[in-house]
Amino acid sequence: MSTIAQNEFQLFINGAENPSSDGRRQEVRSPATGEVVGSVAEATAGDVDRAVTAAAEAFPKWSALTAYDRERTIKAALAHVRSKADFIGLG
């Protein structure tokens, strides 16, 4: 059996990684082997409320940006995702 690196992912709320407020996690398994390859934080209703509130608070600043600045931000995010393509299974 091969060894697969374990990856732990948190919730991304208000620009930062956060554990679930109740500490619960969900295993992530490889669909090819069934092997556990990591875990993700399980969001509670309270975590979702915090994320929605943070997004609503960030919206005025985002909407005040020019289309060019929003495009630049989105392209930077896309470049980051592409740089991780092999890791997240897009490569």
Side-chain angles (χ1 to χ4, degrees):
M1 180 183 294
S2 66
T3 301
I4 298 177
Q6 294 285 316
N7 299 290
E8 290 194 1
F9 296 96
Q10 304 299 329
L11 305 173
F12 194 73
I13 300 172
N14 202 23
E17 291 186 8
N18 297 272
S20 174
S21 59
D22 68 2
R24 290 176 51 188
R25 301 195 63 78
Q26 176 67 44
E27 287 183 343
V28 177
R29 294 183 174 273
S30 165
T33 67
E35 196 172 353
V36 175
V37 295
S39 66
V40 294
E42 282 190 32
T44 64
D47 295 326
V48 173
D49 287 343
R50 285 188 308 123
V52 170
T53 297
E57 291 172 355
F59 183 74
K61 182 178 177 182
W62 173 257
S63 64
L65 293 174
T66 66
Y68 173 76
D69 288 334
R70 288 193 302 263
E71 175 190 24
R72 188 172 52 187
T73 301
I74 291 169
K75 284 184 175 180
L78 176 60
H80 178 72
V81 169
R82 285 182 173 157
S83 76
K84 304 290 185 188
D86 287 340
F87 177 74
I88 59 177
L90 299 176

